[in-house]
PDB file of all heavy atoms in Angstrom:
ATOM      1  N   GLU D   1       0.806  -1.215   0.003  1.00 97.00           N
ATOM      2  CA  GLU D   1      -0.012  -0.005   0.010  1.00 97.00           C
ATOM      3  C   GLU D   1       0.851   1.259  -0.024  1.00 97.00           C
ATOM      4  O   GLU D   1       1.831   1.348   0.803  1.00 97.00           O
ATOM      5  CB  GLU D   1      -0.943   0.024   1.213  1.00 97.00           C
ATOM      6  CG  GLU D   1      -1.819   1.195   1.245  1.00 97.00           C
ATOM      7  CD  GLU D   1      -2.880   1.163   2.350  1.00 97.00           C
ATOM      8  OE1 GLU D   1      -3.250   0.014   2.744  1.00 97.00           O
ATOM      9  OE2 GLU D   1      -3.367   2.184   2.794  1.00 97.00           O
ATOM     10  N   GLY D   2       0.576   2.136  -0.912  1.00 96.00           N
ATOM     11  CA  GLY D   2       1.302   3.427  -1.003  1.00 96.00           C
ATOM     12  C   GLY D   2       0.288   4.498  -1.380  1.00 96.00           C
ATOM     13  O   GLY D   2      -0.927   4.316  -1.355  1.00 96.00           O
ATOM     14  N   SER D   3       0.810   5.667  -1.749  1.00 95.00           N
ATOM     15  CA  SER D   3      -0.052   6.744  -2.204  1.00 95.00           C
ATOM     16  C   SER D   3       0.579   7.464  -3.361  1.00 95.00           C
ATOM     17  O   SER D   3       1.792   7.413  -3.554  1.00 95.00           O
ATOM     18  CB  SER D   3      -0.273   7.708  -1.017  1.00 95.00           C
ATOM     19  OG  SER D   3       0.950   8.316  -0.625  1.00 95.00           O
ATOM     20  N   PHE D   4      -0.280   8.113  -4.135  1.00 97.00           N
ATOM     21  CA  PHE D   4       0.180   8.944  -5.254  1.00 97.00           C
ATOM     22  C   PHE D   4      -0.931   9.911  -5.595  1.00 97.00           C
ATOM     23  O   PHE D   4      -2.102   9.514  -5.765  1.00 97.00           O
ATOM     24  CB  PHE D   4       0.506   8.109  -6.520  1.00 97.00           C
ATOM     25  CG  PHE D   4       0.927   8.891  -7.666  1.00 97.00           C
ATOM     26  CD1 PHE D   4       2.199   9.501  -7.677  1.00 97.00           C
ATOM     27  CD2 PHE D   4       0.064   9.130  -8.693  1.00 97.00           C
ATOM     28  CE1 PHE D   4       2.592  10.260  -8.783  1.00 97.00           C
ATOM     29  CE2 PHE D   4       0.472   9.873  -9.826  1.00 97.00           C
ATOM     30  CZ  PHE D   4       1.753  10.434  -9.840  1.00 97.00           C
ATOM     31  N   GLY D   5      -0.596  11.202  -5.665  1.00 94.00           N
ATOM     32  CA  GLY D   5      -1.566  12.216  -6.032  1.00 94.00           C
ATOM     33  C   GLY D   5      -2.777  12.229  -5.101  1.00 94.00           C
ATOM     34  O   GLY D   5      -3.879  12.577  -5.547  1.00 94.00           O
ATOM     35  N   GLY D   6      -2.616  11.880  -3.837  1.00 93.00           N
ATOM     36  CA  GLY D   6      -3.736  11.859  -2.920  1.00 93.00           C
ATOM     37  C   GLY D   6      -4.549  10.600  -2.980  1.00 93.00           C
ATOM     38  O   GLY D   6      -5.502  10.421  -2.205  1.00 93.00           O
ATOM     39  N   ALA D   7      -4.259   9.695  -3.877  1.00 96.00           N
ATOM     40  CA  ALA D   7      -4.968   8.421  -3.973  1.00 96.00           C
ATOM     41  C   ALA D   7      -4.170   7.297  -3.273  1.00 96.00           C
ATOM     42  O   ALA D   7      -2.944   7.339  -3.200  1.00 96.00           O
ATOM     43  CB  ALA D   7      -5.241   8.058  -5.434  1.00 96.00           C
ATOM     44  N   VAL D   8      -4.888   6.237  -2.906  1.00 97.00           N
ATOM     45  CA  VAL D   8      -4.209   5.062  -2.323  1.00 97.00           C
ATOM     46  C   VAL D   8      -3.915   4.067  -3.481  1.00 97.00           C
ATOM     47  O   VAL D   8      -4.795   3.817  -4.288  1.00 97.00           O
ATOM     48  CB  VAL D   8      -5.160   4.380  -1.270  1.00 97.00           C
ATOM     49  CG1 VAL D   8      -4.589   3.076  -0.779  1.00 97.00           C
ATOM     50  CG2 VAL D   8      -5.381   5.299  -0.092  1.00 97.00           C
ATOM     51  N   VAL D   9      -2.711   3.541  -3.470  1.00 97.00           N
ATOM     52  CA  VAL D   9      -2.299   2.616  -4.515  1.00 97.00           C
ATOM     53  C   VAL D   9      -2.006   1.283  -3.883  1.00 97.00           C
ATOM     54  O   VAL D   9      -1.127   1.159  -3.013  1.00 97.00           O
ATOM     55  CB  VAL D   9      -1.029   3.104  -5.273  1.00 97.00           C
ATOM     56  CG1 VAL D   9      -0.617   2.126  -6.340  1.00 97.00           C
ATOM     57  CG2 VAL D   9      -1.324   4.493  -5.886  1.00 97.00           C
ATOM     58  N   LEU D  10      -2.764   0.236  -4.288  1.00 98.00           N
ATOM     59  CA  LEU D  10      -2.559  -1.110  -3.817  1.00 98.00           C
ATOM     60  C   LEU D  10      -1.926  -1.918  -4.976  1.00 98.00           C
ATOM     61  O   LEU D  10      -2.443  -1.913  -6.057  1.00 98.00           O
ATOM     62  CB  LEU D  10      -3.866  -1.752  -3.366  1.00 98.00           C
ATOM     63  CG  LEU D  10      -4.694  -1.009  -2.370  1.00 98.00           C
ATOM     64  CD1 LEU D  10      -6.014  -1.718  -2.116  1.00 98.00           C
ATOM     65  CD2 LEU D  10      -3.864  -0.937  -1.072  1.00 98.00           C
ATOM     66  N   THR D  11      -0.833  -2.606  -4.703  1.00 97.00           N
ATOM     67  CA  THR D  11      -0.148  -3.310  -5.744  1.00 97.00           C
ATOM     68  C   THR D  11       0.419  -4.645  -5.197  1.00 97.00           C
ATOM     69  O   THR D  11       0.311  -4.958  -4.039  1.00 97.00           O
ATOM     70  CB  THR D  11       0.894  -2.473  -6.407  1.00 97.00           C
ATOM     71  OG1 THR D  11       1.366  -3.083  -7.614  1.00 97.00           O
ATOM     72  CG2 THR D  11       2.055  -2.153  -5.517  1.00 97.00           C
ATOM     73  N   THR D  12       1.053  -5.385  -6.083  1.00 95.00           N
ATOM     74  CA  THR D  12       1.373  -6.803  -5.805  1.00 95.00           C
ATOM     75  C   THR D  12       2.599  -6.972  -4.913  1.00 95.00           C
ATOM     76  O   THR D  12       3.661  -6.473  -5.259  1.00 95.00           O
ATOM     77  CB  THR D  12       1.524  -7.507  -7.155  1.00 95.00           C
ATOM     78  OG1 THR D  12       0.571  -7.047  -8.044  1.00 95.00           O
ATOM     79  CG2 THR D  12       1.433  -9.024  -6.958  1.00 95.00           C
ATOM     80  N   PRO D  13       2.465  -7.764  -3.853  1.00 96.00           N
ATOM     81  CA  PRO D  13       3.625  -7.997  -2.979  1.00 96.00           C
ATOM     82  C   PRO D  13       4.478  -9.121  -3.466  1.00 96.00           C
ATOM     83  O   PRO D  13       4.186  -9.780  -4.473  1.00 96.00           O
ATOM     84  CB  PRO D  13       2.968  -8.396  -1.659  1.00 96.00           C
ATOM     85  CG  PRO D  13       1.724  -9.116  -2.116  1.00 96.00           C
ATOM     86  CD  PRO D  13       1.278  -8.397  -3.354  1.00 96.00           C
ATOM     87  N   ALA D  14       5.638  -9.401  -2.768  1.00 93.00           N
ATOM     88  CA  ALA D  14       6.467 -10.497  -3.068  1.00 93.00           C
ATOM     89  C   ALA D  14       5.648 -11.804  -2.975  1.00 93.00           C
ATOM     90  O   ALA D  14       4.692 -11.872  -2.190  1.00 93.00           O
ATOM     91  CB  ALA D  14       7.626 -10.546  -2.126  1.00 93.00           C
ATOM     92  N   PRO D  15       5.934 -12.816  -3.868  1.00 92.00           N
ATOM     93  CA  PRO D  15       7.139 -12.938  -4.690  1.00 92.00           C
ATOM     94  C   PRO D  15       7.158 -12.165  -6.000  1.00 92.00           C
ATOM     95  O   PRO D  15       8.117 -12.249  -6.742  1.00 92.00           O
ATOM     96  CB  PRO D  15       7.187 -14.460  -4.934  1.00 92.00           C
ATOM     97  CG  PRO D  15       5.783 -14.898  -4.958  1.00 92.00           C
ATOM     98  CD  PRO D  15       5.109 -14.057  -3.903  1.00 92.00           C
ATOM     99  N   SER D  16       6.095 -11.371  -6.318  1.00 92.00           N
ATOM    100  CA  SER D  16       6.193 -10.486  -7.446  1.00 92.00           C
ATOM    101  C   SER D  16       7.264  -9.394  -7.216  1.00 92.00           C
ATOM    102  O   SER D  16       7.373  -8.897  -6.078  1.00 92.00           O
ATOM    103  CB  SER D  16       4.862  -9.819  -7.705  1.00 92.00           C
ATOM    104  OG  SER D  16       5.035  -8.809  -8.696  1.00 92.00           O
ATOM    105  N   LEU D  17       8.049  -9.115  -8.203  1.00 91.00           N
ATOM    106  CA  LEU D  17       9.001  -8.005  -8.115  1.00 91.00           C
ATOM    107  C   LEU D  17       8.388  -6.702  -8.592  1.00 91.00           C
ATOM    108  O   LEU D  17       8.914  -5.647  -8.263  1.00 91.00           O
ATOM    109  CB  LEU D  17      10.264  -8.349  -8.945  1.00 91.00           C
ATOM    110  CG  LEU D  17      10.950  -9.624  -8.667  1.00 91.00           C
ATOM    111  CD1 LEU D  17      12.090  -9.866  -9.689  1.00 91.00           C
ATOM    112  CD2 LEU D  17      11.489  -9.668  -7.272  1.00 91.00           C
ATOM    113  N   GLY D  18       7.296  -6.755  -9.342  1.00 93.00           N
ATOM    114  CA  GLY D  18       6.777  -5.567  -9.964  1.00 93.00           C
ATOM    115  C   GLY D  18       6.136  -4.571  -9.030  1.00 93.00           C
ATOM    116  O   GLY D  18       6.172  -3.404  -9.292  1.00 93.00           O
ATOM    117  N   GLY D  19       5.433  -5.079  -7.981  1.00 95.00           N
ATOM    118  CA  GLY D  19       4.765  -4.186  -7.070  1.00 95.00           C
ATOM    119  C   GLY D  19       5.699  -3.197  -6.441  1.00 95.00           C
ATOM    120  O   GLY D  19       5.377  -2.006  -6.272  1.00 95.00           O
ATOM    121  N   ALA D  20       6.877  -3.629  -5.994  1.00 95.00           N
ATOM    122  CA  ALA D  20       7.839  -2.744  -5.415  1.00 95.00           C
ATOM    123  C   ALA D  20       8.364  -1.671  -6.377  1.00 95.00           C
ATOM    124  O   ALA D  20       8.611  -0.565  -6.056  1.00 95.00           O
ATOM    125  CB  ALA D  20       9.022  -3.524  -4.874  1.00 95.00           C
ATOM    126  N   VAL D  21       8.458  -2.084  -7.643  1.00 94.00           N
ATOM    127  CA  VAL D  21       8.831  -1.121  -8.680  1.00 94.00           C
ATOM    128  C   VAL D  21       7.758  -0.003  -8.808  1.00 94.00           C
ATOM    129  O   VAL D  21       8.085   1.198  -8.826  1.00 94.00           O
ATOM    130  CB  VAL D  21       9.055  -1.817 -10.048  1.00 94.00           C
ATOM    131  CG1 VAL D  21       9.252  -0.801 -11.181  1.00 94.00           C
ATOM    132  CG2 VAL D  21      10.198  -2.771 -10.004  1.00 94.00           C
ATOM    133  N   VAL D  22       6.512  -0.378  -8.909  1.00 96.00           N
ATOM    134  CA  VAL D  22       5.436   0.544  -9.004  1.00 96.00           C
ATOM    135  C   VAL D  22       5.388   1.525  -7.768  1.00 96.00           C
ATOM    136  O   VAL D  22       5.331   2.741  -7.862  1.00 96.00           O
ATOM    137  CB  VAL D  22       4.097  -0.150  -9.202  1.00 96.00           C
ATOM    138  CG1 VAL D  22       2.911   0.873  -9.076  1.00 96.00           C
ATOM    139  CG2 VAL D  22       3.988  -0.837 -10.528  1.00 96.00           C
ATOM    140  N   GLN D  23       5.492   0.922  -6.606  1.00 96.00           N
ATOM    141  CA  GLN D  23       5.401   1.672  -5.367  1.00 96.00           C
ATOM    142  C   GLN D  23       6.558   2.630  -5.219  1.00 96.00           C
ATOM    143  O   GLN D  23       6.400   3.811  -4.916  1.00 96.00           O
ATOM    144  CB  GLN D  23       5.343   0.689  -4.179  1.00 96.00           C
ATOM    145  CG  GLN D  23       5.110   1.376  -2.832  1.00 96.00           C
ATOM    146  CD  GLN D  23       5.083   0.333  -1.703  1.00 96.00           C
ATOM    147  OE1 GLN D  23       6.017  -0.408  -1.483  1.00 96.00           O
ATOM    148  NE2 GLN D  23       3.998   0.308  -0.999  1.00 96.00           N
ATOM    149  N   THR D  24       7.781   2.162  -5.481  1.00 96.00           N
ATOM    150  CA  THR D  24       8.990   3.024  -5.336  1.00 96.00           C
ATOM    151  C   THR D  24       8.986   4.119  -6.409  1.00 96.00           C
ATOM    152  O   THR D  24       9.298   5.289  -6.082  1.00 96.00           O
ATOM    153  CB  THR D  24      10.286   2.169  -5.492  1.00 96.00           C
ATOM    154  OG1 THR D  24      10.245   1.131  -4.525  1.00 96.00           O
ATOM    155  CG2 THR D  24      11.489   3.011  -5.314  1.00 96.00           C
ATOM    156  N   GLY D  25       8.611   3.766  -7.624  1.00 96.00           N
ATOM    157  CA  GLY D  25       8.596   4.770  -8.673  1.00 96.00           C
ATOM    158  C   GLY D  25       7.560   5.844  -8.465  1.00 96.00           C
ATOM    159  O   GLY D  25       7.871   7.060  -8.679  1.00 96.00           O
ATOM    160  N   LEU D  26       6.371   5.470  -8.046  1.00 97.00           N
ATOM    161  CA  LEU D  26       5.348   6.482  -7.814  1.00 97.00           C
ATOM    162  C   LEU D  26       5.709   7.409  -6.628  1.00 97.00           C
ATOM    163  O   LEU D  26       5.456   8.625  -6.692  1.00 97.00           O
ATOM    164  CB  LEU D  26       4.002   5.837  -7.513  1.00 97.00           C
ATOM    165  CG  LEU D  26       3.338   5.191  -8.739  1.00 97.00           C
ATOM    166  CD1 LEU D  26       2.049   4.433  -8.294  1.00 97.00           C
ATOM    167  CD2 LEU D  26       3.016   6.176  -9.851  1.00 97.00           C
ATOM    168  N   ALA D  27       6.354   6.841  -5.637  1.00 96.00           N
ATOM    169  CA  ALA D  27       6.779   7.652  -4.469  1.00 96.00           C
ATOM    170  C   ALA D  27       7.847   8.690  -4.943  1.00 96.00           C
ATOM    171  O   ALA D  27       7.767   9.833  -4.490  1.00 96.00           O
ATOM    172  CB  ALA D  27       7.326   6.767  -3.371  1.00 96.00           C
ATOM    173  N   ALA D  28       8.726   8.287  -5.844  1.00 96.00           N
ATOM    174  CA  ALA D  28       9.771   9.228  -6.339  1.00 96.00           C
ATOM    175  C   ALA D  28       9.119  10.253  -7.287  1.00 96.00           C
ATOM    176  O   ALA D  28       9.740  11.328  -7.413  1.00 96.00           O
ATOM    177  CB  ALA D  28      10.852   8.453  -7.072  1.00 96.00           C
ATOM    178  N   LEU D  29       8.015   9.943  -7.842  1.00 96.00           N
ATOM    179  CA  LEU D  29       7.389  10.839  -8.845  1.00 96.00           C
ATOM    180  C   LEU D  29       6.439  11.858  -8.241  1.00 96.00           C
ATOM    181  O   LEU D  29       6.061  12.816  -8.859  1.00 96.00           O
ATOM    182  CB  LEU D  29       6.660   9.998  -9.866  1.00 96.00           C
ATOM    183  CG  LEU D  29       6.297  10.587 -11.238  1.00 96.00           C
ATOM    184  CD1 LEU D  29       7.495  11.080 -11.965  1.00 96.00           C
ATOM    185  CD2 LEU D  29       5.533   9.538 -12.075  1.00 96.00           C
ATOM    186  N   ASP D  30       5.994  11.568  -6.991  1.00 94.00           N
ATOM    187  CA  ASP D  30       4.960  12.358  -6.379  1.00 94.00           C
ATOM    188  C   ASP D  30       5.527  13.573  -5.659  1.00 94.00           C
ATOM    189  O   ASP D  30       6.447  13.443  -4.821  1.00 94.00           O
ATOM    190  CB  ASP D  30       4.159  11.507  -5.355  1.00 94.00           C
ATOM    191  CG  ASP D  30       2.868  12.029  -4.941  1.00 94.00           C
ATOM    192  OD1 ASP D  30       2.325  12.935  -5.628  1.00 94.00           O
ATOM    193  OD2 ASP D  30       2.353  11.523  -3.924  1.00 94.00           O
TER     194      ASP D  30
END
């Protein structure tokens, strides 16, 4: 669970690698 632009973003946990990419990237972009 993270946030971006005031919205809550839910994405895929391990063993997926992709969710951490989405979460980290959106945090850096916000």
Side-chain angles (χ1 to χ4, degrees):
E1 182 173 334
S3 63
F4 179 74
V8 174
V9 180
L10 304 176
T11 190
T12 317
S16 170
L17 304 176
V21 172
V22 171
Q23 187 179 57
T24 303
L26 288 175
L29 197 60
D30 198 15

